[in-house]
């Protein structure tokens, strides 16, 4: 048996589908999450029942792709029963679809969902009375709380065994004889659901009218009689009006509403969240808080305060949180850096070399002080330790040893939950690498290299960021599930309209923060081809989960790593800004077309469901582990081989500089040379990492680790790091996403999209690097160039707005 | 490296590549979790 779930958008079909089938299909608290039908099975009735989750629809007219999918399924594939999910909190509007489903020759069960919300608000819906009026069973349900689910299935199973003839609520209308006339013809033709089809012909449904022109002709003269009525002979309007009149007149007594004059909780929250002026800044603040909680090493901004930036005494702030003063912490960091440097540079001789360096600097300081006629600073130079020296002398010692004082940047903040989790995970995976090294100590070099430098290092690099990324997705899932993200689409509509996109396009783009592939597929809901192409083009700019390990790694490497959260936040914002500028450019130089209006029902806010959130995270985790065990492992092994063997690989292992990968990487290095991040002897490694990102974006980090670059050993300036990040953000996404883009774009649009991604990544990265370079070296010129850039973008805005006005005026 | 070490190395590498090879040659009609690496369901998967 096959049952179909049909209902309005966001009425809870997918939640019911998941509860029935045990699936973990993506549930979002916004309309339009399900674009295509989805199948699963229910096995608790003794017989296996196939369940089909149809996309949310308001009617059975063939206007939107979702309506077409749902209608074709019910008409052509004839399910044994249609379970019509009705949002009981919005009964009147939801019943509009029900009245159409009743016209089909298919058993129908109405499932009154969200009954828990109805009861909680003190309202009542009389299911028995409603069932009598509709002529089909009505069952109360709360899909979210798993209440009444089995009852719905039992009832559906019962009615599925019966043959049901469609009936209409339009029977009392004066134009019903037209419907009867066409219905008889359909019966003669042996068509299924003749009543439904007859009503559609009378309504002037394009698809059916084209198929049965003789039936259109049959009622043409009868229709003429209505051309002077209030609807000007528009039968679609007349039918819709008749349905609503019937619903209002007949169902009012099945609902008992407590007359509440006060605003609902959602309305109150929306007064702030969707405020004309504050909505977008609020969205930015909320996103910043999320990134701060996930990526900040300085949760309470102690670092900032300690340097006097906030005007509060740094000493006090640090004392409160750490019990130490800033100077003490700096001293500790400085001695650590010096000791580490000597150990790295001199190995066993480190202590001797360090002691002689201490003596040299201490002597020099004493001599200089004596020359000035002051007292000497160090009495017992032979027993002098680093900790006993003054900060300025330690700085001199570091410079004397070939180090850089700028690198001493103690992070003294309390880590955010994300960083805390990451350091623990890093600790665990680090121990696994140590264990691997211990086990493979006596193995041949190639085998221990494959295990430790290849597999373990590569997997460690991505797995150590896993908890942080799961935390990020937990926050995004909370925002989605609570209903806030639907508001974001709504508040973005006005801004998007100026860019040739509607707020509806923002939903696939938001999904892009998870994975570009389903996001691109969700563009099916957009009616205009140019809007679909444009949305697909912009989707990868909304940084997906697979790119998150790259940002997490670079966040640690950004100079002054307490800026990690700001770095990651700025990358996500940069993606949105470049998406907007891309849309502006395409609009400025392409044809301007107006997009259809965006109408969306804002779902009520509700507390995120723990089960939903965990299902979200579980899916992410499964996906991550699955990917790591397949495509990422494969890439790591290949990269390890290519980086440890030369072209004459039969001659055995070679140094990384003479490897196959190095020679290939050096060619690529020159292509990326203007972008800055491939400068220097290690530059080729970054170019190789960028290319392996095409397989899966996590491979960027895994490749770097296999080539010996970790978050602690990245030797790039901030400008280079930004250029590298932006190139990876905007360039071609992974192959799976390119496949999705090919499937859902127009042919011409797809090729333009590929070129756009390649061009955009190169140009944006180029601008960012040189701007950063100027900021680092010639600040004034950097500021002038930045201002010129901003001015160009503003001019672009003005130009496209004028162009749009002209088109609208015409 | 001796010849048998090369042989062993290639065998190990091939074993590590097998899950990926299987993933791309898997029966397209099969149900279950998505196998293209994306998060779309099997039916919609662009790699199928």
């Amino acid at each position: 048996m096959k049952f179909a779930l049909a209902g309005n958008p966001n009425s809870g079909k997918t939640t019911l589908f998941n509860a029935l089938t045990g699936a973990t299909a993506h549930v979002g608290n916004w309309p339009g999450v399900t674009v295509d039908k989805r199948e699963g099975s229910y096995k608790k009735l003794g017989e296996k029942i196939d369940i089909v989750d149809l996309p949310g629809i308001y009617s059975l007219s063939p206007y939107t792709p979702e309506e077409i999918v749902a209608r074709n399924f019910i008409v052509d594939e004839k399910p044994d029963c249609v379970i019509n999910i009705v949002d009981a909190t919005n009964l009147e509007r939801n019943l509009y679809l029900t009245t159409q489903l009743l016209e089909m020759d298919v058993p129908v069960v109405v499932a009154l969902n969200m009954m828990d919300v109805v009861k909680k608000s003190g309202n009542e819906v009389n299911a028995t009375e409603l069932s009598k009026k509709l002529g089909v069973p009505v069952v109360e349900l709360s899909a979210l709380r798993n209440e009444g689910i089995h009852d719905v299935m039992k009832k559906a199973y019962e009615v599925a065994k019966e043959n049901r003839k469609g009936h209409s609520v339009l029977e009392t209308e004066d134009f019903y004889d037209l419907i009867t006339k066409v219905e008889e013809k359909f019966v003669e033709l042996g068509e299924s659901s003749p009543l439904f089809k007859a009503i559609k012909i009378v309504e002037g449904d394009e698809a059916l009218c084209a198929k049965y022109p003789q039936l259109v002709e049959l009622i043409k003269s009868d229709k003429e009689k209505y051309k002077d009525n209030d609807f000007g002979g528009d039968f679609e309007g007349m039918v819709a009006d008749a349905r609503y009149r019937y619903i209002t007149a007949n169902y009012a007594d099945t609902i008992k509403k407590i007359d509440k004059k006060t605003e609902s909780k959602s309305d109150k929250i929306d007064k702030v969240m969707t405020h004309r002026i504050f909505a977008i800044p609020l969205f930015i603040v909320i996103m910043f808080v999320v990134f701060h909680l996930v990526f900040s090493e300085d949760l309470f901004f102690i670092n900032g305060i300690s340097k006097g930036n906030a005007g509060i005494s740094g000493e006090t702030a640090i004392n409160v949180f750490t019990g130490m003063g800033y100077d003490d912490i700096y001293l500790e960091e400085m001695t650590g850096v010096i000791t580490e440097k000597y150990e790295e540079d001199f190995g066993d001789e480190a202590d001797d070399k360090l002691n002689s360096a201490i003596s040299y600097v201490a002597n020099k300081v004493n001599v200089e002080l004596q020359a000035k006629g002051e007292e000497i600073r160090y009495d017992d130079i032979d027993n002098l330790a680093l900790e006993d020296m003054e900060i300025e002398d330690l700085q001199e010692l570091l410079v004397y040893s070939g180090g850089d004082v700028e690198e001493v940047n103690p992070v003294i903040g309390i880590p955010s939950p994300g960083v805390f989790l990451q350091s623990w995970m890093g600790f665990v995976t680090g121990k696994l690498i140590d264990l691997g090294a211990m086990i493979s100590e006596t193995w041949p070099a190639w085998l221990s290299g494959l295990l430790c430098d290849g597999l373990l290092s590569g997997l460690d690099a991505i797995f150590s960021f896993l908890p942080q990324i799961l935390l990020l997705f937990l926050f995004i899932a909370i925002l989605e599930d609570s209903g806030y993200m639907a508001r974001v689409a709504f508040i973005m509509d006005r801004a998007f309209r100026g860019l040739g996109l509607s707020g509806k396009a923002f939903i696939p783009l938001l999904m892009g923060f998870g994975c570009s592939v389903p996001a691109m597929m969700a563009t099916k809901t957009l009616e205009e081809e140019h809007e679909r192409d444009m949305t697909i083009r912009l989707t990868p700019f909304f940084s997906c989960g697979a790119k998150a390990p790259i940002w997490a790694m670079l966040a640690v490497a950004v100079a002054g790593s307490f800026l990690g959260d700001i770095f990651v936040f700025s990358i996500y914002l940069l993606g949105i800004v470049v998406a907007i500028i891309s849309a502006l450019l395409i609009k400025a130089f392409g044809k301007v077309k107006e997009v259809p209006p965006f109408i969306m029902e804002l779902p009520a806010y509700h507390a995120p469901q723990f089960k939903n959130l965990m299902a979200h995270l579980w899916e992410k985790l499964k996906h991550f582990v699955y990917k790591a065990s397949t495509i990422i492992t494969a890439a790591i092994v290949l990269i390890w081989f290519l980086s440890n063997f030369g072209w004459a690989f039969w001659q055995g292992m070679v140094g990384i500089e003479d490897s196959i990968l190095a020679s290939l990487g050096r060619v690529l290095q020159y292509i990326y040379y203007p972008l800055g991040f491939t400068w220097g002897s290690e530059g080729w490694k970054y170019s190789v990492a960028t290319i392996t990102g095409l397989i899966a974006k996590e491979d960027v980090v895994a490749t770097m680790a296999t080539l010996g670059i970790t978050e602690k050993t990245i030797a790039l300036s901030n400008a280079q790091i930004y250029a590298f990040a932006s190139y990876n953000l905007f360039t071609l996404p992974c192959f799976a996403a390119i496949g999705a883009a090919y499937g859902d774009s127009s042919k011409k649009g797809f090729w333009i999209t590929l070129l756009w991604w390649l061009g955009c990544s190169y140009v944006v990265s180029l601008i960012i690097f040189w701007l950063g370079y100027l900021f680092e070296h010639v600040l004034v010129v950097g500021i002038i160039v930045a201002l010129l850039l901003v001015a160009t973008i503003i001019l672009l805005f003005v130009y496209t707005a004028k162009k749009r006005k002209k088109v609208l005026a015409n | 490296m001796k010849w048998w070490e090369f042989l062993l190395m290639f065998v190990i590498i091939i074993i590590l590549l097998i899950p990926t090879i299987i993933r791309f040659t898997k029966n397209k009609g099969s149900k279950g979790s998505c196998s293209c690496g994306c998060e779309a369901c099997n039916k919609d998967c662009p790699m199928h």
Side-chain angles (χ1 to χ4, degrees), chain A residues 198-505:
Chain A
I199 294 170
K200 288 289 155 205
I201 291 277
V202 172
E203 270 184 357
D205 178 290
E206 270 178 39
L208 278 171
C209 287
K211 204 171 167 192
Y212 303 99
Q214 74 278 24
L215 299 182
V216 179
E217 209 52 47
L218 182 76
I219 50 167
K220 200 175 173 187
S221 55
D222 294 327
K223 273 182 145 184
E224 286 289 313
K225 285 187 258 170
Y226 295 89
K227 76 171 186 223
D228 296 324
N229 70 1
D230 289 349
F231 291 90
D234 172 20
F235 272 76
E236 203 179 353
M238 285 159 67
V239 169
D241 177 62
R243 287 188 202 282
Y244 274 120
R245 262 190 290 113
Y246 184 86
I247 293 167
T248 319
N250 286 277
Y251 298 105
D253 49 345
T254 64
I255 312 164
K256 229 189 245 171
K257 268 192 180 172
I258 290 177
D259 191 25
K260 275 189 190 166
K261 291 249 162 62
T262 51
E263 290 169 317
S264 71
K265 239 188 222 167
S266 281
D267 291 337
K268 276 183 198 157
I269 301 172
D270 271 342
K271 271 203 163 161
V272 182
M273 290 308 203
T274 57
H275 189 273
R276 268 178 75 88
I277 298 164
F278 304 126
I280 291 180
L282 253 172
F283 171 58
I284 293 173
V285 170
I286 290 172
M287 292 314 279
F288 175 74
V289 171
V290 168
F291 289 110
H292 186 67
L293 286 171
V294 178
F295 293 103
S296 175
E297 297 213 14
D298 185 8
L299 193 61
F300 300 108
F301 302 102
I302 303 170
N303 232 325
I305 295 168
S306 71
K307 288 170 186 164
N309 295 342
I312 305 166
S313 160
E315 289 283 321
T316 319
I318 297 162
N319 279 330
V320 168
F321 288 101
T322 62
M324 289 169 89
Y326 182 75
D327 281 356
D328 292 339
I329 295 170
Y330 186 85
L331 199 74
E332 202 176 272
E333 175 81 3
M334 175 71 101
T335 52
V337 169
I338 295 173
T339 317
E340 223 169 86
K341 182 156 180 45
Y342 272 82
E343 275 167 8
E344 264 175 35
D345 292 351
F346 302 106
D348 294 342
E349 293 174 40
D351 283 349
D352 294 342
K353 293 274 183 192
L354 183 58
N355 282 334
S356 56
I358 291 173
S359 303
Y360 169 76
V361 174
N363 258 319
K364 194 169 163 245
V365 171
N366 282 349
V367 170
E368 277 169 10
L369 287 170
Q370 267 177 336
K372 284 187 205 162
E374 291 174 26
E375 236 180 87
I376 57 164
R377 192 173 289 163
Y378 302 109
D379 292 329
D380 187 10
I381 290 178
D382 289 343
N383 293 316
L384 189 64
L386 278 177
E387 292 77 15
D388 304 327
M389 293 176 81
E390 296 285 320
I391 287 180
E392 51 181 345
D393 302 336
L394 283 174
Q395 286 176 335
E396 196 176 333
L397 176 59
L398 186 60
V399 175
Y400 167 73
S401 318
D404 185 358
V405 177
E406 293 289 311
E407 279 174 23
V408 184
N409 216 330
V411 175
I412 47 174
I414 310 286
S416 61
V419 171
F420 175 76
L421 287 173
Q422 190 244 326
S423 51
W424 267 102
M425 191 69 181
F427 175 77
V428 173
T429 51
K431 287 287 164 216
L432 281 178
I433 294 185
D434 292 346
L435 187 71
M438 212 171 75
I439 294 170
S440 61
E441 214 170 358
T442 53
W443 293 3
W446 66 268
L447 193 54
S448 65
L450 175 58
L451 178 74
C452 298
D453 306 335
L455 281 175
L456 288 178
S457 298
L459 292 176
D460 159 61
I462 56 164
F463 271 100
S464 61
F465 296 115
L466 180 63
Q468 214 173 2
I469 285 148
L470 287 182
L471 189 68
L472 175 66
F473 279 97
L474 174 69
F475 286 126
I476 293 180
I478 290 173
L479 292 179
E480 262 185 46
D481 208 34
S482 63
Y484 177 64
M485 282 304 195
R487 267 78 185 173
V488 176
F490 169 72
I491 57 179
M492 287 291 177
D493 184 51
R494 208 159 57 122
F496 265 50
R497 205 146 280 280
L499 307 173
L501 293 169
S502 69
K504 201 174 181 184

Side-chain angles (χ1 to χ4, degrees), chain A residues 534-678:
Chain A
M534 176 101 102
T535 310
I536 288 173
R537 206 163 292 155
L538 306 184
T539 301
F541 296 178
F542 287 68
S543 173
C544 73
K547 288 175 187 166
I550 314 177
W551 317 143
M553 182 193 207
L554 297 177
V556 182
V558 168
S561 51
F562 58 88
L563 293 174
D565 56 337
I566 296 174
F567 167 76
V568 181
F569 176 61
S570 68
I571 288 293
Y572 277 77
L573 267 191
L574 179 74
I576 299 176
V577 170
V578 172
I580 291 172
I581 297 171
S582 292
L584 277 177
L585 279 170
I586 295 167
K587 217 177 162 196
F589 298 106
K591 276 185 198 160
V592 176
K593 286 177 192 161
E594 203 41 36
V595 285
F598 173 49
I599 302 162
M600 187 180 70
E601 192 187 334
L602 290 181
Y605 284 105
H606 65 68
Q609 294 294 306
F610 181 74
K611 204 177 139 194
N612 255 350
L613 298 180
M614 289 305 114
H616 245 77
L617 292 192
W618 175 240
E619 275 305 300
K620 278 266 168 249
L621 181 69
K622 236 172 46 183
H623 172 66
F624 201 87
V625 172
Y626 184 72
K627 229 170 151 184
S629 60
T630 51
I631 203 150
I632 294 172
T633 300
I636 289 172
V637 170
L638 288 177
I639 294 292
W640 173 82
F641 178 78
L642 294 173
S643 61
N644 279 283
F645 289 85
W647 289 101
F649 62 87
W650 54 89
Q651 290 175 358
M653 285 172 83
V654 293
I656 197 166
E657 296 300 324
D658 302 316
S659 65
I660 302 173
L661 202 64
S663 58
L664 294 174
R666 284 194 186 104
V667 177
L668 290 170
Q669 188 177 7
Y670 292 108
I671 299 174
Y672 295 132
Y673 212 74
L675 312 185
F677 60 83
T678 60

